[in-house]
Amino acid sequence: MPSWWGKSSSKEAKKKPNKESFIDTLHRKFKIPSEEKGGIRSCGSRRRSSDTISEKGSRSRAASRSPPPSNHVSRCQSFAERPHAQPLPLPGLHPAIIGRTDSGIGVSMKMKLERCSKSSLCLPLPKPGCIPHRPDVTDADGDLACPSVSSDSSIDSDYPVDSRHLSPQTTDYESGTRTVNSPSRTMQREHSPMITRKNSREVLKPTSPSFNNQILSTSPKRGPLSNYAPNLQIPPRGAFGSAPDSSMSSPSRSPMRACGTDQITSSSFWGGKPCPDVLLLGSGHCSSPGSGHNSGHNSMGGDMSGQLFWQHSRGSPECSPIPSPRMTSPGPSSRIQSGAVTPLHPRAGGAATDSSTGWQEDGKQSHKLPLPPITVSNSSPFPAPSSPSTVSSNLPRSPGRAENPTSPGSRWKKGKLLGRGTFGHVYVGFNSESGEMCAMKEVVLFSDDAKSKESAKQLGQEIALLSRLRHPNIVEYYGTETVDDKLYIYLEYVSGGSIYKLLQEYGQLGEHAIRSYTQQILSGLAFLHAKNTVHRDIKGANILVDPNGRVKLADFGMAKHITGQSCPLSFKGSPYWMAPEVIKNSNGCNLAVDIWSLGCTVLEMATTKPPWSQFEGVAAMFKIGNSKDLPEIPDHLSEDGKNFVWRCLQRNPLHRPTAAELLEHPFVKNAAPLERPILAPEPTEIPPGVTDGARSLGSGHVRNLSSLELEGLANYQSKGARGGLASSDHMLRNISCPVSPIGSPLLHSRSPQHVSGRMSPSPISSPRTPSGSSTPLTGGNGAIPFHHLKQSAYLHEGFGIMPRSPNSLYGNGSTYHDPRPDLFLGMQPGSHVFRELMSSENDALGKQFGRPVHGDPRELYDGQSVLADRVSQQLLRDHVKSNPSLDLRPGCPMLRRTNGI
Ligand SMILES: Nc1ncnc2c1ncn2[C@@H]1O[C@H](COP(=O)(O)OP(=O)(O)OP(=O)(O)O)[C@@H](O)[C@H]1O
């Protein structure tokens, strides 16, 4: 172990002779000479003694102005602050093949220029027979074969309070195996000494003893081990059959077009075999260094290469404000990923790829659609027999079609850019037929070097996992299709963008919002963990918020299913949010890493930055992994908030509560909805026919999904997870709110349109919000709740009707029951379905909020007309302000209209 790694425990080294720190590995991989290590160490000590944030920032900025050609040098310089260290480029590398990843790593790339050869283009074909036998989510992860590894660690439940010094003895306890069922650890935690900075002893005392008494032991069910092979398993071949039906698409013909048939017919990418030759290259990776359009492919993965370097995505809409572009920014893309795809893939054309998306400054595309796949198998189980996709996808190719393809299945048109990620760009997708929106993640596929396997695997994992996860707080996966060399992943569109983006735009969140978001994140995590799946990249940038304040976990590229009680930790995640045991590469628990990251995310929400963001990357990781320090917890957080964070940031993973346990913490248990209380008018009758309207709308959506041949959805539905409600449930749930009710200011509150949630697109949108998430009428609180504005429905989905008890939450261990209050839309109180649903809903509501639910339960769910009145009155008031002559006395016609008098 290198000496600079600190005074790392020799004891630990003895205990784990085979274990190596990531730093160690880094040194080996990047061959950092020992002198540099010495330099780093000395600089490290220098930093401890004298550095300041401003100093570091200026150094970083200075360094960033002239990026060195050799990345490890830049890292060293950045970390060790060696002004003289400007090494020459590595010899023997032609400039053209020295790439620089988004994380700043020089990469030698194999310039494969063979086009369309079967071997290079053809993705590994699935065995068709594999698709129906896909394992359940519990078997779906790509890293499945992780054996259960027992801990060799000693557990130290004491936390000596020393935030100033790094002690070699501090790390031993951190590598324990997390035992989920550990009732005793509640008490252990209870008596754990506080370990934060000054005042932490006072502020971090558990403030709610009752909480501890309420902590439940959970025992997430573990799925059987499976020999399932990690793949991009995907949609049936028919899924290829469509292209985003857009006039806006790839500007240049893809090299793969020439072999479209081969691509489809011989593609094994989609079905079950490993894909050894697949490179997934997001457009964002194709940017030239400094183009400002790098995707932040900075995630850490199992491979150590590139792990210690990250930059935020300067070209991303979610651009970190943290100044140093090198190794410093804890921005949304500060994830370091081993499976990093090569950024200068020859076929990507370097910077040209960015333009390949054809996005101009104004956000409009100028290019045409990529060619749709030509031959599509009819064997897909998904499209309805009459689906246009089936028909059109078998149309013979014609020049006209090539240039202006009839989308065989998808009617999604690619819209504006939402963001850039590791694998590609994410756009709004719009379905002109149904008027609905989705998020389209566009990933460029390449068959290339072995390095891409990890990327392919990660993307495959994300798809495989997401397609099986259905939860209100997890972004929904709709389906996948390929067009030429592009893979489109269709996801639920969460128009508010990520928490990270909100923080950058609006500053830190108030505690009210933090509680609410945290509660919802926990709900999603509890669901995920109950499936023995760990997200591993929880952070603000991966948590999306809809206009109603509903939170959705996203980006499951790092997610992993745990097949044993524990398995070796991969070095994955985003450094600033990374749990110590991950950084130390210690064996042990896995689920608990999400809890640590959640604690970091709470701090991020409270301060706009993750913990240790004042440190550059490696230093921060050193701090996390090799010290006993805890980040400062802001004073303005309540005692409950501080206690919550403290519990999450237990260095010993065994001492962290589970997500289910944390749901009982007072900080989140009593989280109130963000939505403002609605002044309820008299209950209104829902016009007949509304239900039909809503259903028909939903049907359109499902048709649409079917045409995309959504394997995940079909799987889900075929399992009958929700019985007969599955279809309509899904439909209605996906009637998101891409439109605003404010299109018509004086719209009658009982308009069927209003109730059905279909209005004209809002003319009001925040110019600063790329995703168009907010409207000003709510005073900066986002768009006026609309589709889910039904207050109780909102309460239900977002704030706690999730059963608290693991037993009730995960009941049979397989099915999450999501009653989906949308179903109440338009239901008449006397209807059978309505009664059936409401009986359980009332119970849940009563229990949840500690009050009985009386009367017509429909009142709880009928918020549409309430909203209409509210909006109308608001608009009216605004209107009156500018028109004082208006008569607003009781009984005036206008009030009669808006109040339904
Ligand atoms: N479903 C969605 N709705 C709205 N916006 C989205 C959605 N999914 C992604 N985005 C936007 O696109 C950005 C990039 O998406 P995402 O993080 O999923 O890509 P990625 O390639 O997985 O990124 P990374 O792995 O680097 O975090 C997000 O930060 C977010 O702003």
Side-chain angles (χ1 to χ4, degrees):
M1 181 173 291
S3 57
W4 68 268
W5 174 236
K7 302 160 187 174
S8 179
S9 169
S10 57
K11 184 171 72 176
E12 183 182 14
K14 284 176 192 169
K15 281 184 176 180
K16 304 170 187 173
N18 297 326
K19 194 179 298 177
E20 57 185 9
S21 71
F22 73 94
I23 300 291
D24 211 355
T25 309
L26 177 83
H27 280 291
R28 197 179 64 250
K29 291 207 174 196
F30 291 93
K31 300 180 176 57
I32 298 174
S34 57
E35 309 89 77
E36 284 187 8
K37 297 179 190 175
I40 290 172
R41 180 176 54 182
S42 63
C43 290
S45 57
R46 192 169 64 229
R47 176 193 309 282
R48 281 195 296 276
S49 62
S50 63
D51 69 358
T52 64
I53 294 175
S54 60
E55 283 172 350
K56 282 179 291 186
S58 62
R59 286 186 200 119
S60 299
R61 282 191 293 272
S64 69
R65 280 194 288 271
S66 57
S70 171
N71 192 67
H72 81 260
V73 174
S74 73
R75 181 196 68 82
C76 175
Q77 183 179 13
S78 179
F79 177 68
E81 302 158 1
R82 298 176 64 187
H84 59 279
Q86 287 291 345
L88 291 170
L90 291 173
L93 291 178
H94 188 280
I97 58 171
I98 297 177
R100 183 179 173 210
T101 66
D102 295 318
S103 51
I105 299 170
V107 176
S108 172
M109 298 174 53
K110 196 167 66 174
M111 301 290 283
K112 269 193 172 178
L113 293 174
E114 316 93 302
R115 291 181 176 184
C116 309
S117 72
K118 206 164 181 177
S119 61
S120 63
L121 285 176
C122 299
L123 309 170
L125 269 173
K127 286 179 181 173
C130 291
I131 293 174
H133 303 295
R134 278 170 51 178
D136 190 42
V137 64
T138 53
D139 301 322
D141 185 74
D143 296 332
L144 294 178
C146 298
S148 178
V149 175
S150 62
S151 169
D152 59 351
S153 65
S154 61
I155 306 299
D156 179 1
S157 61
D158 290 331
Y159 293 91
V161 182
D162 185 353
S163 63
R164 309 269 176 226
H165 304 97
L166 306 179
S167 164
Q169 278 75 43
T170 61
T171 57
D172 285 353
Y173 60 80
E174 295 168 5
S175 54
T177 299
R178 179 180 178 85
T179 304
V180 180
N181 277 324
S182 180
S184 61
R185 66 191 173 88
T186 298
M187 289 303 295
Q188 205 174 1
R189 283 195 305 273
E190 186 66 18
H191 301 294
S192 295
M194 308 301 156
I195 43 164
T196 63
R197 299 179 184 282
K198 60 186 182 218
N199 300 330
S200 61
R201 292 174 198 241
E202 291 79 37
V203 298
L204 292 182
K205 283 175 185 170
T207 54
S208 176
S210 61
F211 164 64
N212 298 292
N213 296 332
Q214 294 167 6
I215 287 181
L216 303 171
S217 296
T218 59
S219 180
K221 296 185 175 4
R222 295 187 170 84
L225 283 168
S226 164
N227 57 357
Y228 170 78
N231 300 315
L232 283 182
Q233 27 187 302
I234 320 278
R237 297 165 69 190
F240 298 165
S242 59
D245 187 10
S246 169
S247 58
M248 306 173 292
S249 189
S250 176
S252 56
R253 289 175 64 94
S254 160
M256 296 185 86
R257 283 187 176 181
C259 19
T261 304
D262 281 349
Q263 178 193 353
I264 298 304
T265 55
S266 63
S267 171
S268 55
F269 186 74
W270 304 113
K273 286 183 180 176
C275 29
D277 282 323
V278 176
L279 169 63
L280 305 173
L281 182 56
S283 332
H285 294 286
C286 306
S287 311
S288 60
S291 67
H293 292 283
N294 292 347
S295 73
H297 95 101
N298 300 316
S299 302
M300 290 189 174
D303 182 338
M304 291 297 297
S305 28
Q307 288 174 354
L308 297 182
F309 308 93
W310 60 90
Q311 296 172 297
H312 58 37
S313 294
R314 286 171 291 160
S316 166
E318 299 194 350
C319 192
S320 167
I322 297 174
S324 171
R326 182 178 304 125
M327 301 174 53
T328 305
S329 168
S333 297
S334 59
R335 199 172 77 190
I336 296 181
Q337 185 159 317
S338 67
V341 291
T342 37
L344 292 178
H345 191 286
R347 291 176 56 213
T353 305
D354 233 15
S355 64
S356 75
T357 61
W359 287 93
Q360 300 167 342
E361 290 291 319
D362 60 359
K364 294 179 182 173
Q365 273 186 315
S366 60
H367 55 73
K368 296 176 181 176
L369 271 174
L371 284 176
I374 298 172
T375 305
V376 177
S377 166
N378 282 327
S379 62
S380 165
F382 298 108
S386 58
S387 164
S389 68
T390 306
V391 175
S392 58
S393 62
N394 289 299
L395 289 174
R397 184 172 187 162
S398 69
R401 181 171 173 245
E403 292 308 315
N404 185 19
T406 302
S407 175
S410 172
R411 297 189 186 91
W412 298 107
K413 296 179 178 178
K414 193 161 77 175
K416 68 181 175 182
L417 180 67
L418 288 172
R420 295 179 178 89
T422 302
F423 295 116
H425 292 177
V426 181
Y427 301 93
V428 173
F430 182 68
N431 186 320
S432 299
E433 297 297 318
S434 68
E436 292 168 287
M437 295 185 176
C438 73
M440 301 169 59
K441 189 182 276 193
E442 182 186 74
V443 181
V444 179
L445 308 172
F446 285 114
S447 172
D448 201 86
D449 54 52
K451 189 104 171 155
S452 63
K453 287 181 193 171
E454 176 71 12
S455 298
K457 183 174 137 187
Q458 285 184 6
L459 195 60
Q461 278 180 213
E462 180 171 12
I463 294 170
L465 276 168
L466 262 182
S467 66
R468 291 164 172 80
L469 296 173
R470 294 287 299 276
H471 187 274
N473 299 118
I474 293 178
V475 70
E476 190 165 348
Y477 168 78
Y478 293 164
T480 311
E481 65 182 346
T482 55
V483 179
D484 284 345
D485 56 352
K486 290 197 178 75
L487 166 68
Y488 291 92
I489 303 171
Y490 298 96
L491 301 165
E492 175 184 9
Y493 175 44
V494 189
S495 62
S498 69
I499 287 178
Y500 173 84
K501 191 189 76 175
L502 294 175
L503 293 171
Q504 301 315 307
E505 291 193 4
Y506 304 108
Q508 68 193 42
L509 299 181
E511 180 147 333
H512 191 53
I514 296 173
R515 284 171 175 243
S516 166
Y517 287 7
T518 305
Q519 194 272 346
Q520 297 179 70
I521 297 167
L522 270 174
S523 291
L525 279 181
F527 173 78
L528 202 61
H529 289 181
K531 291 181 173 294
N532 268 359
T533 302
V534 60
H535 186 283
R536 294 200 291 186
D537 203 12
I538 293 293
K539 60 178 179 177
N542 287 336
I543 299 164
L544 305 174
V545 185
D546 83 0
N548 295 331
R550 192 173 313 166
V551 161
K552 313 258 181 186
L553 304 185
D555 196 354
F556 283 73
M558 292 287 171
K560 176 186 176 69
H561 175 247
I562 302 169
T563 52
Q565 187 170 15
S566 64
C567 64
L569 289 169
S570 305
F571 196 73
K572 292 185 176 181
S574 300
Y576 292 93
W577 293 260
M578 232 180 224
E581 66 268 23
V582 178
I583 289 178
K584 293 172 61 185
N585 195 27
S586 52
N587 294 334
C589 66
N590 295 90
L591 298 178
V593 303
D594 285 344
I595 301 300
W596 176 278
S597 301
L598 173 66
C600 297
T601 305
V602 172
L603 291 179
E604 183 187 4
M605 291 191 279
T607 66
T608 75
K609 292 172 185 170
W612 291 289
S613 57
Q614 70 270 30
F615 296 102
E616 292 184 353
V618 173
M621 295 175 71
F622 185 88
K623 202 82 174 156
I624 299 167
N626 212 39
S627 80
K628 287 188 173 180
D629 292 359
L630 276 185
E632 274 184 273
I633 300 178
D635 275 343
H636 62 77
L637 267 186
S638 67
E639 293 305 302
D640 278 346
K642 289 169 182 166
N643 182 267
F644 183 91
V645 171
W646 174 74
R647 287 183 178 279
C648 292
L649 297 184
Q650 293 293 309
R651 286 187 165 273
N652 185 341
L654 290 170
H655 293 174
R656 286 174 222 147
T658 64
E661 289 168 348
L662 281 171
L663 276 169
E664 295 298 319
H665 193 286
F667 181 62
V668 294
K669 187 172 186 181
N670 304 320
L674 291 177
E675 199 173 35
R676 293 172 181 170
I678 293 176
L679 300 174
E682 59 190 86
T684 54
E685 287 295 316
I686 299 175
V690 168
T691 303
D692 289 343
R695 283 179 180 156
S696 64
L697 186 63
S699 295
H701 186 75
V702 162
R703 268 200 313 275
N704 194 10
L705 292 175
S706 294
S707 68
L708 287 173
E709 303 178 344
L710 310 184
E711 184 181 16
L713 175 60
N715 259 0
Y716 181 80
Q717 290 177 337
S718 69
K719 287 179 185 170
R722 291 186 212 144
L725 288 177
S727 290
S728 57
D729 188 350
H730 178 78
M731 299 177 221
L732 290 166
R733 183 161 178 255
N734 284 291
I735 304 172
S736 55
C737 36
V739 290
S740 159
I742 314 172
S744 174
L746 293 178
L747 190 70
H748 194 284
S749 64
R750 290 172 186 156
S751 154
Q753 273 185 305
H754 226 144
V755 182
S756 67
R758 288 284 148 182
M759 311 288 293
S760 56
S762 168
I764 309 168
S765 64
S766 166
R768 295 185 61 201
T769 309
S771 52
S773 63
S774 67
T775 60
L777 287 181
T778 52
N781 200 24
I784 289 180
F786 167 49
H787 170 59
H788 293 288
L789 59 96
K790 306 173 295 291
Q791 187 172 17
S792 298
Y794 180 60
L795 290 172
H796 171 92
E797 285 200 17
F799 296 94
I801 294 298
M802 286 285 297
R804 300 299 192 191
S805 144
N807 289 335
S808 58
L809 178 55
Y810 308 119
N812 57 13
S814 60
T815 304
Y816 166 70
H817 174 64
D818 173 16
R820 304 290 163 79
D822 301 292
L823 292 173
F824 295 103
L825 252 183
M827 285 185 184
Q828 298 303 314
S831 80
H832 167 70
V833 179
F834 182 80
R835 275 200 312 271
E836 197 173 285
L837 289 171
M838 283 313 300
S839 59
S840 57
E841 288 305 306
N842 271 341
D843 284 351
L845 282 171
K847 284 175 191 161
Q848 177 61 32
F849 299 105
R851 55 179 166 75
V853 179
H854 298 300
D856 181 352
R858 190 163 53 102
E859 292 173 24
L860 291 170
Y861 294 93
D862 180 20
Q864 300 281 3
S865 56
V866 175
L867 174 77
D869 285 336
R870 185 178 163 202
V871 171
S872 298
Q873 289 177 33
Q874 174 67 51
L875 289 166
L876 191 57
R877 277 194 294 275
D878 293 346
H879 193 50
V880 166
K881 280 181 193 165
S882 54
N883 298 279
S885 59
L886 281 178
D887 183 6
L888 288 182
R889 288 168 301 177
C892 75
M894 194 169 277
L895 284 185
R896 273 204 302 273
R897 185 178 183 189
T898 57
N899 286 331
I901 298 172

